[in-house]
């Protein structure tokens, strides 16, 4: 099967992603912020209500929040997730369709989760919208039909994430930092999901959706007296009940800096996370200094980490850090996704920058700019109803002083370079961090070993394993020609393959930031012609063509004719089955046996290209290409899956391209010797 090029798709996506990361202008002098205090009352069942009247706009928002302690679900992890999915799918009084149609009629927004609900609408509809919120939250109708549907969706989501390197990284980070028996460390799996029943969801709702720690924050064009009466009527019958409170041992950090490595053979980038536990409440004296220290290290575009890994070295789209705050143990995390080839170098730079903020006092100019930017964002958000609601809730749940947000700007401005130095040494303990790396072991382990940091190995669920065997020698007698011939035999035999004169493929895929799926088309002619296109509806995003005159690429109306190596590469791939050509070469050899998606595969190098063929089936499973662009090396990997027979020849109906993002192309139709004309290659 021919290689599908991604050059223009990469350029298209790179433009989208980089646009999001551009530094923002430095904010000017911050105005004085006045945050209106809520009027409050408490229902007999324990629910506390906070009302902030704001008559500037004819809108109102309702935010119901249950401030329960975290809990574990054990071998039924997924109960709470399914509870969230099912609340709001109709009530005991109203069908799902009728409920949603009424919300749409009012032009309102309403959402439910297992820990609360949110709604917003024009104030003239606020009375009815509050009634619907109360009905949806307090009278959910959990049916077997909706349960089965939501459980199937969750299961499909788990399968989709099975090979996702970022998803694996997030899971393993939490497992290793908190432990599998901690609320923040356990994860949903196919095994735990299978154990969950509708009765479990109903019991979860009855146990935890209770009013003792419930807060209802109402912001907008309402009158307190009328609102109080409505809330008492709608929520007064909510039965008084307390949620269980379970305590868990605080997780501890490792005694020495270490690398925790997870081998994912299909990874084209390494997900790097430096993590440690944090106990930082918003009421702590260190709170503001710690969040500003994090901004300096990795929270801002101009942070130490981003300026180093992205701007100076161009190893990544972005490097960042975050520090968790709240009543319970959270984590500090500095992270980035980098190319395999620079994984070890990136780790060294991460450690260097964390040590830098712990040993060098931040300059007054940097500190001033970071504080100004942080204050500017605070001021921009403070007028939004959701922000006001969150602040009011924080004061209650975090036990903050009533004037916490009035003094917010002043307290930030009081943070000094000495404060940054002190909290960096307290909350960024580089000698007690885990460096969790999820990547392709065959390409990165040798470099990591040179860092002389102890390395421990884990599977994609955080279980300890032995160091992976990344490459094995091919048995004697296995040659490149043997592998290519076996591939041709596996897909139907030389006679059937030679009979393929044209190949037409159509399918769909998605890309980040695109509002809808994209249509994919590929057409090939055995005489060396090719056309590949990607469209968003009727709008063409890119097109690549090879014909007897040459080759060109076209993106959003801009055309570029290819020359030199680019032209040669495009021409070489303009064939339905390149193995017919490769099998005639005598300069290629089997390099090794490597794991690809859990199966052994022969690897054959051809310059900067590597082909992978499954040892058992003989089918081509992957193709890797190293490309040089603007002085930087990038790796593009294409995976071939779901082979099906079409007119006696097996072709892959699923092609996944990965070059820092994943392009998962699912074919809806493949035609052999039909559906292709000369006009396709003009």
């Amino acid at each position: 099967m021919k290689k599908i090029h991604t050059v223009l798709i990469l350029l298209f996506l790179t433009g989208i992603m980089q646009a999001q990361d551009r530094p923002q202008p430095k904010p000017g002098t911050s105005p004085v912020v006045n945050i209106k205090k809520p009027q409050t009352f408490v229902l007999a069942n324990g629910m506390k209500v906070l009302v902030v009247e704001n008559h500037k706009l004819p809108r109102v928002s309702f935010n119901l929040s249950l401030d329960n302690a975290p809990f574990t679900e054990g071998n039924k992890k997924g109960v709470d997730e399914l509870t969230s999915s099912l609340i709001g799918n109709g009530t005991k009084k109203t069908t799902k369709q009728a409920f949603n149609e009424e919300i749409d009629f009012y032009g309102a927004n309403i959402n439910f989760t297992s820990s609360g609900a949110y709604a917003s609408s024009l104030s003239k509809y606020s009375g009815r919208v509050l009634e619907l919120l109360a009905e949806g939250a307090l009278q959910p109708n959990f049916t077997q039909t909706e349960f089965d549907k939501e459980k199937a969706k969750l299961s499909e989501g788990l399968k989709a994430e099975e090979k996702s390197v970022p998803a694996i990284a997030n899971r393993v980070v939490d497992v290793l930092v908190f432990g599998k028996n901690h609320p923040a460390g356990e994860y949903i799996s196919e095994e735990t999901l299978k154990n969950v029943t509708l009765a479990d969801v109903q019991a979860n709702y009855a146990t935890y959706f209770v009013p003792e720690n419930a807060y209802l924050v109402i912001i907008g064009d309402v009158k307190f007296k009328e609102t109080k009466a409505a809330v008492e009527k709608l929520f007064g019958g909510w039965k008084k009940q307390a949620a269980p409170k379970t305590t868990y041992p605080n997780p501890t950090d490792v005694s020495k800096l270490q690398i925790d490595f997870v081998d994912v053979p299909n990874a084209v980038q390494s997900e790097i996370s430096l993590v440690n536990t944090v106990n930082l409440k918003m009421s702590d004296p260190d709170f503001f200094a710690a969040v500003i220290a994090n901004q300096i290290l990795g929270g801002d575009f101009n942070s130490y980490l981003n300026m180093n890994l992205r701007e100076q070295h161009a190893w990544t789209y972005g490097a960042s850090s975050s520090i968790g705050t709240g009543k319970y143990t959270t984590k500090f995390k500095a992270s980035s996704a980098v190319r395999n080839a620079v994984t070890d170098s990136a780790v060294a730079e991460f450690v260097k920058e964390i040590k830098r903020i712990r040993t060098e006092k931040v300059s007054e100019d940097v500190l001033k700019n970071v504080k100004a930017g942080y204050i500017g964002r605070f001021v921009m958000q403070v007028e939004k109803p959701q922000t006001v609601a969150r602040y009011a809730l924080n004061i209650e749940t975090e036990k903050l002083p009533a004037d916490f947000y009035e003094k917010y700007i002043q307290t930030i401005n009081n943070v000094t370079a000495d404060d940054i130095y002190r909290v960096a040494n307290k909350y960024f303990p580089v000698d007690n961090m885990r460096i969790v790396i999820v990547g392709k072991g065959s390409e990165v382990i040798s470099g990591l070993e040179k860092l002389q940091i102890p390395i421990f190995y884990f599977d994609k669920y955080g279980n300890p394993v032995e160091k992976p065997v990344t490459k094995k020698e091919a048995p004697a007698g296995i040659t490149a020609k043997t592998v290519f011939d076996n591939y041709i035999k596996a897909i139907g035999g030389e006679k059937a393959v030679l009979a393929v004169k044209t190949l037409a493929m159509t399918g769909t895929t998605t890309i980040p930031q695109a509002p809808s799926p994209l249509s994919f088309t590929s057409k090939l002619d055995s005489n060396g012609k090719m056309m590949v296109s990607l469209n968003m509806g009727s709008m063409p995003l890119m097109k690549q063509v090879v014909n007897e005159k040459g080759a060109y690429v076209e993106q959003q109306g801009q055309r570029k004719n290819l020359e030199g190596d680019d032209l040669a590469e495009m021409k070489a791939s303009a064939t339905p089955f390149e193995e017919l050509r490769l099998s005639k070469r005598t300069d290629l050899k089997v390099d090794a046996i490597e794991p690809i998606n859990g199966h052994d595969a022969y690897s054959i190098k051809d310059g900067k290209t590597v082909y992978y063929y499954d040892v058992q089936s003989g089918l081509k499973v992957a193709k890797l290409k190293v490309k040089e662009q603007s002085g930087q090396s990038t790796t593009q990997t294409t995976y071939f899956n779901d082979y099906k027979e079409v007119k006696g020849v097996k072709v892959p109906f699923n092609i996944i391209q990965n070059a820092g993002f994943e392009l998962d192309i699912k074919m809806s139709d493949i035609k052999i010797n039909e559906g292709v004309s000369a006009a396709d290659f003009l």
Side-chain angles (χ1 to χ4, degrees):
M1 175 58 57
K2 62 103 182 172
K3 172 187 174 184
I4 297 180
H5 290 277
T6 59
V7 175
L8 286 186
I9 300 172
L10 281 168
L11 292 174
F12 176 75
L13 281 178
T14 299
I16 293 176
M17 293 175 177
Q18 288 182 342
Q20 298 176 50
D21 286 330
R22 289 179 187 134
Q24 300 299 312
K26 295 177 183 177
T29 303
S30 302
V32 175
V33 173
N34 294 311
I35 302 175
K36 231 180 162 183
K37 294 291 189 297
Q39 301 177 72
T40 66
F41 62 95
V42 182
L43 299 184
N45 57 23
M47 185 177 87
K48 189 165 188 177
V49 185
L50 300 87
V51 182
V52 178
E53 291 190 31
N54 185 335
H55 303 288
K56 290 182 179 179
L57 295 173
R59 296 199 62 83
V60 63
S61 68
F62 306 95
N63 186 49
L64 175 65
S65 179
L66 308 183
D67 186 37
N68 293 327
F71 58 92
T72 57
E73 298 175 68
N75 66 356
K76 292 192 175 185
K77 178 65 176 175
V79 172
D80 203 56
E81 182 86 8
L82 285 170
T83 306
S84 284
S85 300
L86 289 169
I87 296 179
N89 284 344
T91 74
K92 292 175 180 177
K93 291 174 55 179
T94 311
T95 66
K96 176 182 177 181
Q97 182 177 350
F99 191 91
N100 291 336
E101 285 178 352
E102 187 168 4
I103 291 296
D104 291 341
F105 176 77
Y106 294 127
N109 293 316
I110 191 164
N111 295 289
F112 299 91
T113 71
S114 62
S115 58
Y118 172 81
S120 65
S121 72
L122 292 173
S123 52
K124 63 181 178 179
Y125 303 130
S126 62
R128 179 55 182 156
V129 170
L130 180 59
E131 289 176 0
L132 289 169
L133 182 140
E135 181 183 328
L138 304 185
Q139 301 181 60
N141 189 28
F142 299 126
T143 67
Q144 190 67 47
T145 299
E146 290 294 329
F147 172 81
D148 292 340
K149 187 187 302 182
E150 293 298 332
K151 188 174 180 179
K153 285 168 58 177
L154 185 53
S155 178
E156 285 302 309
L158 291 176
K159 292 174 183 176
E161 291 183 347
E162 189 68 20
K163 296 176 183 177
S164 167
V165 178
I168 293 170
N170 289 334
R171 177 173 61 226
V172 173
V173 163
D174 287 341
V175 167
L176 296 181
V177 171
F178 297 103
K180 291 183 180 180
N181 297 320
H182 188 279
E186 65 174 6
Y187 56 86
I188 303 174
S189 68
E190 284 287 345
E191 290 71 27
T192 65
L193 189 59
K194 287 176 183 176
N195 296 330
V196 181
T197 66
L198 177 61
D200 294 322
V201 169
Q202 292 167 333
N204 181 74
Y205 172 83
T207 302
Y208 293 101
F209 209 97
V210 295
E212 182 199 43
N213 295 314
Y215 295 84
L216 178 60
V217 184
I218 302 171
I219 310 282
D221 186 23
V222 294
K223 294 181 179 179
F224 177 77
K225 185 176 179 180
E226 295 173 359
T227 301
K228 184 174 185 291
V231 170
E232 288 173 338
K233 178 182 177 182
L234 295 170
F235 291 90
W238 193 4
K239 183 181 176 182
K240 185 174 184 178
Q241 184 181 335
K245 294 182 177 64
T246 306
T247 58
Y248 302 88
N250 281 336
T252 57
D253 295 324
V254 291
S255 60
K256 188 177 181 181
L257 181 68
Q258 66 179 51
I259 293 173
D260 295 340
F261 188 83
V262 179
D263 182 32
V264 180
N266 65 307
V268 297
Q269 288 195 132
S270 293
E271 292 283 339
I272 302 174
S273 303
L274 285 77
V275 288
N276 60 266
T277 60
V278 168
N279 288 287
L280 179 65
K281 297 179 176 62
M282 293 185 70
S283 57
D284 288 346
D286 287 340
F287 173 76
F288 287 99
V291 295
I292 295 300
N294 178 72
Q295 290 297 109
I296 294 168
L297 176 63
D300 277 349
F301 181 90
N302 293 316
S303 66
Y304 290 178
L305 292 174
N306 202 54
M307 287 295 101
N308 183 325
L309 276 77
R310 171 180 163 138
E311 297 300 292
Q312 180 181 341
H313 289 105
W315 289 339
T316 177
Y317 283 120
S320 62
S321 67
S322 61
I323 184 167
T325 63
K327 295 188 290 185
Y328 308 102
T329 300
T330 58
K331 65 179 181 284
F332 163 80
K333 178 180 177 182
S335 61
S336 184
V338 304
R339 303 192 312 275
N340 291 343
V342 299
T343 300
D344 53 333
S345 300
V347 168
E349 294 303 311
F350 263 108
V351 173
K352 184 182 85 173
E353 295 300 346
I354 295 174
K355 287 184 175 179
R356 174 187 171 192
I357 199 170
R358 286 166 51 90
T359 56
E360 299 177 12
K361 285 189 179 180
V362 62
S363 73
E364 289 299 328
D365 282 345
V366 169
L367 179 59
K368 179 181 178 181
N369 288 335
V370 169
K371 289 194 293 187
Y374 196 82
I375 290 170
R377 286 186 288 275
F378 169 75
V379 171
M380 289 174 64
Q381 295 294 320
V382 79
E383 291 296 324
K384 297 180 180 179
Q386 285 176 277
T387 303
V388 176
R390 187 173 72 251
Y391 291 169
L393 190 61
N394 285 344
I395 288 173
E396 293 291 333
T397 60
E398 300 287 338
K399 309 303 179 189
L400 302 175
D403 61 354
F404 181 85
Y405 289 102
E406 275 73 13
K407 292 184 176 179
Y408 203 87
I409 295 175
Q410 175 189 338
T411 313
I412 291 172
N413 280 327
N414 288 340
V415 173
T416 67
D418 286 334
D419 292 328
I420 299 300
Y421 178 87
R422 174 177 53 80
V423 297
N425 279 274
K426 182 175 180 180
Y427 296 102
F428 311 151
V430 70
D431 294 328
N432 304 104
M433 283 184 177
R434 294 178 182 271
I435 306 174
V436 182
I437 303 174
V438 179
K440 188 173 183 177
S442 61
E443 295 186 8
V444 305
I445 288 177
S446 60
L448 293 173
E449 289 175 334
K450 296 175 184 177
L451 297 175
Q452 297 185 327
I453 300 172
I455 304 178
F456 300 88
Y457 298 93
F458 298 85
D459 66 14
K460 58 184 179 181
Y461 300 104
N463 301 307
V465 295
E466 296 296 320
K467 178 180 176 180
V469 177
T470 54
K471 286 188 178 182
K472 297 183 287 188
E473 289 188 11
I478 298 296
T479 65
K481 179 171 175 53
T482 303
V483 174
F484 292 137
D485 288 347
N486 284 343
Y487 164 76
I488 292 171
K489 181 180 178 181
I491 64 173
E494 185 175 12
K495 182 178 179 180
V497 172
L498 287 172
V500 177
K501 302 304 179 184
T502 64
L503 182 66
M505 310 169 73
T506 57
T508 58
T509 188
T510 58
I511 58 174
Q513 309 303 320
S516 58
L518 310 181
S519 60
F520 169 86
T521 303
S522 171
K523 297 189 178 184
L524 293 119
D525 187 299
S526 60
N527 292 321
K529 298 177 184 178
M530 178 181 75
M531 186 280 292
V532 178
S533 67
L534 194 65
N535 298 316
M536 183 184 296
S538 60
M539 180 177 71
L541 295 181
M542 77 91 186
K543 184 178 182 181
Q544 303 174 75
V545 173
V546 179
N547 54 35
E548 62 276 1
K549 297 180 181 179
Y552 68 86
V553 293
E554 192 172 80
Q555 181 182 7
Q556 295 178 317
Q558 300 296 313
R559 174 169 165 162
K560 179 183 178 182
N561 293 321
L562 299 184
E563 300 175 348
D565 292 342
D566 290 336
L567 175 61
E569 182 183 342
M570 286 277 277
K571 281 185 168 293
S573 65
T575 176
F577 304 99
E578 57 191 334
E579 282 73 15
L580 290 171
R581 170 180 56 83
L582 293 171
S583 65
K584 295 180 173 60
R585 290 178 53 178
T586 59
D587 59 325
L588 301 179
K589 65 178 183 178
V590 177
D591 184 57
I593 294 177
E594 298 184 36
I596 297 291
N597 292 335
H599 299 277
D600 283 346
Y602 296 118
S603 63
I604 300 174
K605 285 188 177 181
D606 179 14
K608 294 183 178 181
T609 302
V610 185
Y611 302 89
Y612 296 93
Y613 299 85
D614 189 277
V615 169
Q616 296 299 320
S617 69
L619 297 173
K620 178 159 65 176
V621 290
K623 182 176 180 179
L624 180 150
K625 177 72 176 179
V626 178
K627 298 186 70 68
E628 302 293 335
Q629 189 173 1
S630 302
Q632 299 295 328
S633 176
T634 60
T635 301
Q636 300 175 11
T637 305
T638 304
Y639 297 94
F640 305 96
N641 309 303
D642 192 22
Y643 278 82
K644 296 178 183 178
E645 189 173 304
V646 178
K647 289 189 176 180
V649 178
K650 288 184 178 179
V651 288
F653 272 68
N654 177 225
I655 297 175
I656 300 175
Q657 298 176 328
N658 203 323
F661 60 92
E662 191 170 273
L663 195 68
D664 189 345
I665 306 169
K666 292 180 172 61
M667 304 302 171
S668 56
D669 188 35
I670 295 181
K671 290 184 172 67
I672 288 178
N673 296 336
E674 59 177 316
V676 177
S677 67
D680 293 321
F681 308 110
L682 297 178

